[in-house]
Every structure is written in structure tokens, then in C-alpha cells.
Amino acid sequence: MSHVFPRHCHSDLPTAVAGDGCYLIDSNGKRYFDGSGGAAVSCLGHSNTRVRDAIKEQVDKLAFAHTGFLTTEPAEALADLLIAQAPGDLDRVYFVSGGSEAVESAIKLARQFHLENGKPERRHLIARRQSYHGNTLGALSAGGNAWRRQQFAPLLVEMSHIAPCYEYAERGDSESLADYGQRVAQELEDEILRLGPETVMAFIAEPVVGATLGAVIPAPGYFTRIREICDKYGVLLIFDEVMCGMGRTGHLFACDADGIAPDILCIAKGLGAGYQPIGAMLCSKKIYNAITAGTGFFQHGHTYLGHPVAAAAALAVVREILERDLVAQVNERGAYLEAELKRRFAQHPHVGDIRGRGLFWGVEFVADRQTKEPFDPSLGLAGKLKKATFAQGLICYPMPGTRDGRVGDHVLLAPPFIASEQELSQALDILDKAIESTLPHC
Ligand code: PLP
């Protein structure tokens, strides 16, 4: 009898005992191809020697030092490396233990920045529908997923949610992609004006939307317009790259694909690659200088900020990504994955859309391709696909509620950067079989 409080109380989970490259192995010896890196975490697979050694070395040297008293070599080196690669004038790194903590830090830093500048009235955060920013109360308030928010609604901070940039489901028939992008970006300016520009502190978005929409990329020009609007009204732009960053979408920082930089950027998942729990919030020189010139400290903090073992692991992860040029490999394997997904599924009567970037791909399922009508949620398609793929040794990330948190189904793929074409092809064989065995029952 287990005493672990699991995610689902009625699940009977196998026990993972080992990792081998792109595979997880359970106590019965069954191997699972990690086709979603858990949830876009395990970018280097499960047995990277360099990262494992870095952790062991760091534990032997120094396990912990509280950041209220001391800094550490791995945290300093990791911050230098990230800033050397970061877009725009991002200049400082605040290390935390995961994605939700990075987002909480970003929201609070945005607020404190305006306070330091003598603008206490700036308090509104604007986010987007169908986004996910984490499960702590602040991050959940920012997130726009109705299903995740519903039961905690009375506890959440009031925030605005504008449209996502989700052209497959929301672009008009006669509207060009560029026009659609401009139309939905305009919702930001409209909302800023509705709230009163002097009261808005920040806008937060995922450059490529992960868990809720399934690898949805923005329309060309969308984020350029978003950046213009933020600049026009003195609103900070926060990018949540917790899932799509760290090389996952073919650039070390996902927003490089759109050619713009945020004021604050959150990363996690691929930063520690699953070897250690770590996240980070990067902020611009302007923001850091405002804190320095003002109260002199960010009124925030957690015990495990900048944990040296986590930082040493992440330093080894980022060095691996850069020195082995794994971002180029993401683009190359990503092109293969895209071609294979389209070859196998683009004509499928129940596949509505295949979208993504790098090694981050989503397949959205529909009951009717012409009308794009989703399946009835009571059929539980995403859950059935998860079960069928897992039984055959594939871990992927099917999610319901793609359209509005209630209806719609997609599967998200985010395999390790080291996956070979053969491994990707075998994973798609399993997905193919699972789709064929599941859909007739829907
Ligand atoms: N932000 C995004 C975009 C995410 O996808 C996630 C997790 O899936 C989070 C934040 C929260 O990260 P964590 O689960 O590490 O707290």
C-alpha cells in the first residue's frame, strides 16, 4: 500500500527504476520511449553522463549555501552563460526551483518595478485565454485554462485574458494569417485602453503555446505588434518559455524565432532537463537598475533559490546543448518529425491540424475536418490515447480541452533532442496504432 499522494488517486502506476537514453524503464523491465520528455523536460534523455557527473561533483564539493549569505560558482557561471545567449538586454538571472516559481517571480518583479518608478497604480496583468503558466495561485490566475482554474476561481487574483493567437480554430475564412495576427494582437491595446493604460503593469504570453493548445506557434508579425503595444503604454512584456524555451523550438530562447525580446523571461523544464528541479527568471538591465536604484532588493525569495546542485546540473545541460550544437539537431530532427507527422496523419479524417516548431509538435483531433468540430468531450479521446500509447511503450502528452478548456483534443510531442530518426519513427508507429485503435470507439 502506497503512502505517496499521486496525481490521480485511482491510478495504478508502474515504478520507474532506470533511464537509458530516450527510454524510461519500469521495475518489470518494460521500456517506454519518452516522446514528450515527460512534459517537455527531458531534452537530453535520461542518462547524460556529463550532467550526472556535474551533479555528483557538486554534491561532493558543496551541497547548499543560502543565497541570503553567499553566492556560488555554478550559479554565477550559469547566469553568465544564459545572459551571454539571451535576447535583447536581459541582464540578470533569478534562479528558482521550477516553472511556476519563475512565473510568480516575474509577476511580482513587474509589480515592484513599477513601484520603484513611483507608479503604484500599475497593478493589472493581462494574459491570454488557453494559456498555462503554472499551478501556484499567482501563476494559475495568469493562466487562461478554464478547466484548471474552475474550482479555485474564488481564490484567484483578477487578471484579464485576451485571445490567444490560435489560427486553426479562430481565424476567419476570409482573413489572411497576417491580418488575423494583427487582429488578435489589437486585443491587447484594446484591453490596455479599457483598463486605463496607467494601471497596467505587464502582459504575459507563451511564445509557442504548450500544454493547453498543443504547440501553437504565433502568426508572423503577431509578437512584433505585441512588443510595439507594450512599448507604447509602458507595459512590461513577460515571456513564459518554461515549456518552449531552452532549444525546444529550434532556438535556445523561443522568442528569437520572432525577432523580439521581452523585459522578463521565464525558463524551467529543459533548463534542468529533469536532472534537477530548476527554473529561472531573466530580467532586463532597466528593471534590475530600477530595483538597485530604489529599495535595493527584490522583495521575494525561497529557501532553495540558486541551489548549487541544481545550478551545476543546469550549467552542464546548457553547455551540452551549446557545445554539441543540439539546437541545430533540434531543427534537423524537427524537420524529420514534421515531415513524418504530415506524411502519416495529414490526410487522416480526424486529424484537423498538425503544428509546431523544432521538436515541439501538436496534433489536434476533430470529429469533422470540414467544420473543425471537436469530438464530444464525454468520449474522453485524449485520455484513451494516453492509455493506448502508454500500454505500447510510448509516453506522449495528450490533453483534452484544446479549444476552450472543455472541448477539443490534441496530443503533444516533445521528444529528447538526442532521439534518432529511427526512434522517432518507431514512436510514430505506436501513435499511429493508438489512433487507429482509439478513434473508431469515439
Ligand atoms: N509555464 C508553462 C508554459 C508551463 O508549461 C508550465 C508547466 O507545464 C509552467 C509554467 C509551470 O511549471 P512547473 O510545473 O515547473 O511549475
Side-chain angles (χ1 to χ4, degrees), residues 79-127:
D80 287 348
L81 188 57
L82 289 171
I83 291 304
Q85 302 292 325
D89 74 339
L90 296 177
D91 193 50
R92 291 278 169 168
V93 188
Y94 191 86
F95 290 115
V96 291
S97 301
S100 302
E101 280 188 14
V103 170
E104 293 289 336
S105 309
I107 295 170
K108 287 175 75 176
L109 184 63
R111 168 70 181 157
Q112 191 173 329
F113 167 75
H114 291 301
L115 287 178
E116 304 285 9
N117 283 336
K119 305 232 166 68
E121 63 284 359
R122 286 202 185 256
R123 62 190 182 279
H124 292 303
L125 181 73
I126 303 176

Short mmCIF file of all heavy atoms in Angstrom, two decimals, residues 79-127:
data_model
loop_
_atom_site.label_atom_id
_atom_site.label_comp_id
_atom_site.label_asym_id
_atom_site.label_seq_id
_atom_site.Cartn_x
_atom_site.Cartn_y
_atom_site.Cartn_z
N ALA A 79 24.47 31.82 -14.76
CA ALA A 79 23.88 33.14 -15.09
C ALA A 79 24.67 33.79 -16.22
O ALA A 79 24.10 34.33 -17.17
CB ALA A 79 23.84 34.03 -13.86
N ASP A 80 26.02 33.74 -16.14
CA ASP A 80 26.85 34.32 -17.21
C ASP A 80 26.54 33.68 -18.55
O ASP A 80 26.40 34.35 -19.57
CB ASP A 80 28.35 34.10 -16.90
CG ASP A 80 28.85 34.98 -15.76
OD1 ASP A 80 28.12 35.91 -15.35
OD2 ASP A 80 29.97 34.72 -15.26
N LEU A 81 26.44 32.36 -18.54
CA LEU A 81 26.22 31.64 -19.79
C LEU A 81 24.85 31.97 -20.39
O LEU A 81 24.71 32.20 -21.59
CB LEU A 81 26.35 30.13 -19.53
CG LEU A 81 26.33 29.19 -20.73
CD1 LEU A 81 27.44 29.55 -21.71
CD2 LEU A 81 26.50 27.74 -20.28
N LEU A 82 23.82 32.00 -19.53
CA LEU A 82 22.47 32.31 -20.02
C LEU A 82 22.41 33.73 -20.58
O LEU A 82 21.84 33.96 -21.66
CB LEU A 82 21.44 32.12 -18.90
CG LEU A 82 21.16 30.67 -18.49
CD1 LEU A 82 20.28 30.63 -17.23
CD2 LEU A 82 20.47 29.91 -19.63
N ILE A 83 23.01 34.67 -19.85
CA ILE A 83 22.94 36.07 -20.29
C ILE A 83 23.73 36.27 -21.59
O ILE A 83 23.32 37.03 -22.46
CB ILE A 83 23.39 37.02 -19.16
CG1 ILE A 83 22.35 37.02 -18.03
CG2 ILE A 83 23.63 38.44 -19.69
CD1 ILE A 83 20.91 37.36 -18.44
N ALA A 84 24.82 35.53 -21.74
CA ALA A 84 25.59 35.65 -22.99
C ALA A 84 24.75 35.23 -24.20
O ALA A 84 24.98 35.69 -25.31
CB ALA A 84 26.85 34.78 -22.90
N GLN A 85 23.76 34.36 -23.99
CA GLN A 85 22.93 33.86 -25.08
C GLN A 85 21.58 34.55 -25.18
O GLN A 85 20.86 34.39 -26.16
CB GLN A 85 22.65 32.35 -24.86
CG GLN A 85 23.87 31.47 -24.76
CD GLN A 85 24.61 31.38 -26.08
OE1 GLN A 85 23.99 31.37 -27.14
NE2 GLN A 85 25.93 31.32 -26.02
N ALA A 86 21.21 35.29 -24.13
CA ALA A 86 19.82 35.76 -24.01
C ALA A 86 19.52 36.90 -24.98
O ALA A 86 20.40 37.68 -25.34
CB ALA A 86 19.57 36.21 -22.58
N PRO A 87 18.26 37.02 -25.39
CA PRO A 87 17.89 38.09 -26.33
C PRO A 87 17.80 39.46 -25.65
O PRO A 87 17.67 39.55 -24.43
CB PRO A 87 16.50 37.64 -26.81
CG PRO A 87 15.96 36.83 -25.69
CD PRO A 87 17.13 36.15 -25.05
N GLY A 88 17.85 40.52 -26.47
CA GLY A 88 17.62 41.88 -26.01
C GLY A 88 18.60 42.30 -24.94
O GLY A 88 19.78 41.94 -24.99
N ASP A 89 18.11 43.04 -23.95
CA ASP A 89 19.04 43.47 -22.90
C ASP A 89 18.75 42.76 -21.57
O ASP A 89 18.92 43.33 -20.50
CB ASP A 89 19.06 45.00 -22.76
CG ASP A 89 17.82 45.54 -22.08
OD1 ASP A 89 16.80 44.83 -22.09
OD2 ASP A 89 17.86 46.67 -21.56
N LEU A 90 18.34 41.49 -21.67
CA LEU A 90 18.19 40.68 -20.45
C LEU A 90 19.58 40.58 -19.81
O LEU A 90 20.56 40.28 -20.49
CB LEU A 90 17.62 39.30 -20.78
CG LEU A 90 16.20 39.30 -21.35
CD1 LEU A 90 15.75 37.89 -21.72
CD2 LEU A 90 15.20 39.93 -20.39
N ASP A 91 19.65 40.83 -18.53
CA ASP A 91 20.96 41.02 -17.93
C ASP A 91 21.15 40.32 -16.58
O ASP A 91 22.27 40.19 -16.11
CB ASP A 91 21.18 42.54 -17.73
CG ASP A 91 22.62 42.86 -17.43
OD1 ASP A 91 23.49 42.36 -18.17
OD2 ASP A 91 22.88 43.57 -16.43
N ARG A 92 20.05 39.94 -15.95
CA ARG A 92 20.16 39.33 -14.62
C ARG A 92 19.30 38.07 -14.57
O ARG A 92 18.23 38.02 -15.19
CB ARG A 92 19.68 40.29 -13.54
CG ARG A 92 20.59 41.48 -13.35
CD ARG A 92 21.76 41.11 -12.44
NE ARG A 92 22.79 42.15 -12.46
CZ ARG A 92 23.79 42.21 -11.61
NH1 ARG A 92 23.90 41.31 -10.64
NH2 ARG A 92 24.69 43.15 -11.69
N VAL A 93 19.74 37.10 -13.79
CA VAL A 93 19.01 35.83 -13.69
C VAL A 93 18.67 35.55 -12.24
O VAL A 93 19.54 35.60 -11.37
CB VAL A 93 19.86 34.66 -14.25
CG1 VAL A 93 19.02 33.38 -14.31
CG2 VAL A 93 20.43 34.98 -15.62
N TYR A 94 17.41 35.26 -12.00
CA TYR A 94 16.93 34.92 -10.66
C TYR A 94 16.57 33.44 -10.69
O TYR A 94 15.62 33.03 -11.36
CB TYR A 94 15.70 35.79 -10.38
CG TYR A 94 15.20 35.80 -8.96
CD1 TYR A 94 15.73 36.68 -8.02
CD2 TYR A 94 14.15 34.96 -8.57
CE1 TYR A 94 15.24 36.70 -6.72
CE2 TYR A 94 13.67 34.99 -7.28
CZ TYR A 94 14.22 35.86 -6.35
OH TYR A 94 13.74 35.89 -5.07
N PHE A 95 17.35 32.62 -9.99
CA PHE A 95 17.15 31.17 -10.07
C PHE A 95 16.13 30.68 -9.05
O PHE A 95 16.21 31.02 -7.86
CB PHE A 95 18.47 30.44 -9.82
CG PHE A 95 19.45 30.60 -10.94
CD1 PHE A 95 20.65 31.27 -10.74
CD2 PHE A 95 19.18 30.09 -12.21
CE1 PHE A 95 21.56 31.43 -11.77
CE2 PHE A 95 20.08 30.24 -13.25
CZ PHE A 95 21.27 30.92 -13.03
N VAL A 96 15.19 29.87 -9.52
CA VAL A 96 14.16 29.28 -8.66
C VAL A 96 14.14 27.76 -8.88
O VAL A 96 15.08 27.21 -9.45
CB VAL A 96 12.78 29.92 -8.94
CG1 VAL A 96 12.75 31.37 -8.46
CG2 VAL A 96 12.42 29.84 -10.42
N SER A 97 13.07 27.09 -8.43
CA SER A 97 13.08 25.63 -8.49
C SER A 97 12.14 25.03 -9.54
O SER A 97 11.99 23.82 -9.62
CB SER A 97 12.71 25.05 -7.12
OG SER A 97 13.64 25.50 -6.17
N GLY A 98 11.47 25.87 -10.33
CA GLY A 98 10.56 25.32 -11.34
C GLY A 98 9.84 26.42 -12.08
O GLY A 98 10.07 27.63 -11.83
N GLY A 99 8.93 26.02 -12.96
CA GLY A 99 8.26 26.97 -13.84
C GLY A 99 7.29 27.90 -13.11
O GLY A 99 7.27 29.11 -13.36
N SER A 100 6.48 27.33 -12.21
CA SER A 100 5.50 28.17 -11.51
C SER A 100 6.22 29.24 -10.68
O SER A 100 5.79 30.40 -10.64
CB SER A 100 4.62 27.32 -10.59
OG SER A 100 3.96 26.32 -11.33
N GLU A 101 7.30 28.85 -10.04
CA GLU A 101 8.05 29.82 -9.23
C GLU A 101 8.66 30.91 -10.11
O GLU A 101 8.74 32.07 -9.69
CB GLU A 101 9.18 29.12 -8.45
CG GLU A 101 8.71 28.43 -7.19
CD GLU A 101 9.88 27.91 -6.35
OE1 GLU A 101 11.04 28.30 -6.58
OE2 GLU A 101 9.62 27.09 -5.46
N ALA A 102 9.08 30.54 -11.31
CA ALA A 102 9.64 31.55 -12.22
C ALA A 102 8.55 32.56 -12.59
O ALA A 102 8.79 33.77 -12.63
CB ALA A 102 10.20 30.87 -13.47
N VAL A 103 7.34 32.05 -12.85
CA VAL A 103 6.23 32.95 -13.24
C VAL A 103 5.81 33.82 -12.06
O VAL A 103 5.59 35.03 -12.21
CB VAL A 103 5.05 32.13 -13.81
CG1 VAL A 103 3.82 33.00 -13.99
CG2 VAL A 103 5.45 31.49 -15.14
N GLU A 104 5.72 33.23 -10.87
CA GLU A 104 5.39 34.04 -9.67
C GLU A 104 6.40 35.17 -9.51
O GLU A 104 6.04 36.32 -9.23
CB GLU A 104 5.44 33.17 -8.40
CG GLU A 104 4.38 32.10 -8.29
CD GLU A 104 2.98 32.64 -8.04
OE1 GLU A 104 2.82 33.75 -7.52
OE2 GLU A 104 2.03 31.92 -8.40
N SER A 105 7.67 34.84 -9.69
CA SER A 105 8.73 35.84 -9.53
C SER A 105 8.57 36.94 -10.57
O SER A 105 8.75 38.13 -10.27
CB SER A 105 10.12 35.21 -9.71
OG SER A 105 10.24 34.07 -8.90
N ALA A 106 8.23 36.55 -11.79
CA ALA A 106 8.07 37.53 -12.88
C ALA A 106 6.92 38.50 -12.57
O ALA A 106 7.06 39.71 -12.75
CB ALA A 106 7.81 36.80 -14.19
N ILE A 107 5.82 37.96 -12.09
CA ILE A 107 4.66 38.81 -11.80
C ILE A 107 5.00 39.80 -10.68
O ILE A 107 4.73 41.00 -10.77
CB ILE A 107 3.43 37.94 -11.40
CG1 ILE A 107 2.98 37.08 -12.58
CG2 ILE A 107 2.28 38.82 -10.91
CD1 ILE A 107 1.93 36.02 -12.23
N LYS A 108 5.66 39.30 -9.64
CA LYS A 108 5.98 40.18 -8.52
C LYS A 108 7.06 41.20 -8.89
O LYS A 108 7.01 42.36 -8.46
CB LYS A 108 6.41 39.35 -7.30
CG LYS A 108 5.22 38.64 -6.67
CD LYS A 108 5.62 37.72 -5.54
CE LYS A 108 5.97 38.47 -4.28
NZ LYS A 108 6.27 37.53 -3.17
N LEU A 109 8.01 40.77 -9.73
CA LEU A 109 9.05 41.73 -10.15
C LEU A 109 8.43 42.84 -11.00
O LEU A 109 8.82 44.02 -10.87
CB LEU A 109 10.16 41.02 -10.92
CG LEU A 109 11.33 41.91 -11.32
CD1 LEU A 109 12.06 42.47 -10.10
CD2 LEU A 109 12.32 41.17 -12.22
N ALA A 110 7.49 42.48 -11.86
CA ALA A 110 6.83 43.50 -12.70
C ALA A 110 6.16 44.54 -11.80
O ALA A 110 6.28 45.75 -12.02
CB ALA A 110 5.81 42.84 -13.63
N ARG A 111 5.49 44.05 -10.79
CA ARG A 111 4.81 44.97 -9.86
C ARG A 111 5.84 45.85 -9.13
O ARG A 111 5.69 47.07 -9.06
CB ARG A 111 3.99 44.14 -8.85
CG ARG A 111 3.46 44.91 -7.66
CD ARG A 111 2.37 45.89 -8.02
NE ARG A 111 1.93 46.63 -6.85
CZ ARG A 111 1.34 47.82 -6.90
NH1 ARG A 111 1.09 48.39 -8.06
NH2 ARG A 111 0.97 48.42 -5.81
N GLN A 112 6.90 45.23 -8.64
CA GLN A 112 7.87 46.03 -7.87
C GLN A 112 8.59 47.05 -8.75
O GLN A 112 8.89 48.17 -8.31
CB GLN A 112 8.89 45.12 -7.15
CG GLN A 112 9.70 45.93 -6.14
CD GLN A 112 10.61 45.10 -5.27
OE1 GLN A 112 10.32 43.96 -4.96
NE2 GLN A 112 11.72 45.69 -4.87
N PHE A 113 8.81 46.68 -10.03
CA PHE A 113 9.46 47.62 -10.96
C PHE A 113 8.65 48.92 -11.04
O PHE A 113 9.21 50.02 -10.96
CB PHE A 113 9.57 46.97 -12.34
CG PHE A 113 9.93 47.93 -13.44
CD1 PHE A 113 11.23 48.41 -13.57
CD2 PHE A 113 8.97 48.36 -14.35
CE1 PHE A 113 11.56 49.30 -14.59
CE2 PHE A 113 9.30 49.25 -15.37
CZ PHE A 113 10.60 49.72 -15.48
N HIS A 114 7.34 48.78 -11.18
CA HIS A 114 6.51 49.99 -11.30
C HIS A 114 6.47 50.76 -9.97
O HIS A 114 6.46 51.99 -9.97
CB HIS A 114 5.10 49.62 -11.76
CG HIS A 114 5.07 49.13 -13.19
ND1 HIS A 114 5.50 49.89 -14.25
CD2 HIS A 114 4.67 47.94 -13.72
CE1 HIS A 114 5.36 49.20 -15.38
NE2 HIS A 114 4.86 48.02 -15.08
N LEU A 115 6.49 50.04 -8.87
CA LEU A 115 6.53 50.73 -7.57
C LEU A 115 7.81 51.55 -7.44
O LEU A 115 7.78 52.70 -6.99
CB LEU A 115 6.46 49.71 -6.42
CG LEU A 115 5.12 49.04 -6.16
CD1 LEU A 115 5.26 48.03 -5.02
CD2 LEU A 115 4.04 50.06 -5.82
N GLU A 116 8.93 50.93 -7.83
CA GLU A 116 10.22 51.63 -7.73
C GLU A 116 10.21 52.90 -8.57
O GLU A 116 10.89 53.87 -8.27
CB GLU A 116 11.39 50.73 -8.20
CG GLU A 116 11.52 49.40 -7.48
CD GLU A 116 12.10 49.50 -6.07
OE1 GLU A 116 12.27 50.61 -5.55
OE2 GLU A 116 12.36 48.42 -5.49
N ASN A 117 9.44 52.85 -9.68
CA ASN A 117 9.36 54.01 -10.57
C ASN A 117 8.27 54.99 -10.16
O ASN A 117 7.89 55.86 -10.95
CB ASN A 117 9.11 53.55 -12.01
CG ASN A 117 10.37 52.99 -12.63
OD1 ASN A 117 11.47 53.34 -12.22
ND2 ASN A 117 10.22 52.12 -13.60
N GLY A 118 7.70 54.79 -8.98
CA GLY A 118 6.69 55.71 -8.49
C GLY A 118 5.35 55.58 -9.20
O GLY A 118 4.62 56.56 -9.37
N LYS A 119 5.03 54.34 -9.65
CA LYS A 119 3.76 54.14 -10.35
C LYS A 119 2.94 53.04 -9.65
O LYS A 119 2.69 51.97 -10.23
CB LYS A 119 4.02 53.72 -11.80
CG LYS A 119 4.91 54.69 -12.58
CD LYS A 119 4.24 55.08 -13.88
CE LYS A 119 4.87 56.28 -14.56
NZ LYS A 119 6.21 56.08 -15.08
N PRO A 120 2.51 53.28 -8.41
CA PRO A 120 1.82 52.24 -7.66
C PRO A 120 0.48 51.86 -8.27
O PRO A 120 -0.07 50.79 -7.98
CB PRO A 120 1.63 52.87 -6.27
CG PRO A 120 1.71 54.33 -6.49
CD PRO A 120 2.65 54.53 -7.65
N GLU A 121 -0.05 52.71 -9.16
CA GLU A 121 -1.35 52.39 -9.77
C GLU A 121 -1.22 51.28 -10.82
O GLU A 121 -2.22 50.70 -11.24
CB GLU A 121 -1.98 53.67 -10.37
CG GLU A 121 -1.23 54.34 -11.50
CD GLU A 121 -0.01 55.16 -11.05
OE1 GLU A 121 0.27 55.22 -9.83
OE2 GLU A 121 0.70 55.70 -11.92
N ARG A 122 -0.01 50.97 -11.26
CA ARG A 122 0.15 49.90 -12.26
C ARG A 122 0.06 48.55 -11.56
O ARG A 122 0.98 48.11 -10.88
CB ARG A 122 1.49 50.04 -12.99
CG ARG A 122 1.50 51.19 -14.00
CD ARG A 122 2.58 50.96 -15.02
NE ARG A 122 2.71 52.07 -15.94
CZ ARG A 122 2.26 52.06 -17.20
NH1 ARG A 122 1.64 51.00 -17.68
NH2 ARG A 122 2.43 53.11 -17.98
N ARG A 123 -1.07 47.88 -11.73
CA ARG A 123 -1.32 46.64 -10.99
C ARG A 123 -1.96 45.54 -11.83
O ARG A 123 -2.07 44.39 -11.39
CB ARG A 123 -2.23 46.93 -9.79
CG ARG A 123 -3.60 47.46 -10.20
CD ARG A 123 -4.40 47.98 -9.03
NE ARG A 123 -5.73 48.43 -9.44
CZ ARG A 123 -6.00 49.60 -9.99
NH1 ARG A 123 -5.03 50.46 -10.25
NH2 ARG A 123 -7.24 49.93 -10.32
N HIS A 124 -2.44 45.86 -13.04
CA HIS A 124 -3.15 44.85 -13.84
C HIS A 124 -2.18 44.03 -14.68
O HIS A 124 -1.30 44.58 -15.34
CB HIS A 124 -4.16 45.51 -14.77
CG HIS A 124 -5.31 46.14 -14.04
ND1 HIS A 124 -6.12 45.43 -13.18
CD2 HIS A 124 -5.77 47.41 -14.02
CE1 HIS A 124 -7.04 46.23 -12.68
NE2 HIS A 124 -6.84 47.45 -13.16
N LEU A 125 -2.41 42.72 -14.67
CA LEU A 125 -1.67 41.82 -15.57
C LEU A 125 -2.64 41.33 -16.63
O LEU A 125 -3.75 40.87 -16.31
CB LEU A 125 -1.11 40.62 -14.79
CG LEU A 125 -0.30 39.64 -15.66
CD1 LEU A 125 1.06 40.23 -16.02
CD2 LEU A 125 -0.07 38.32 -14.94
N ILE A 126 -2.22 41.43 -17.88
CA ILE A 126 -3.04 40.90 -18.98
C ILE A 126 -2.36 39.62 -19.48
O ILE A 126 -1.14 39.58 -19.65
CB ILE A 126 -3.17 41.93 -20.12
CG1 ILE A 126 -3.77 43.24 -19.58
CG2 ILE A 126 -4.03 41.38 -21.26
CD1 ILE A 126 -3.85 44.38 -20.59
N ALA A 127 -3.17 38.58 -19.65
CA ALA A 127 -2.66 37.30 -20.15
C ALA A 127 -3.57 36.85 -21.30
O ALA A 127 -4.35 37.65 -21.81
CB ALA A 127 -2.64 36.28 -19.01
#
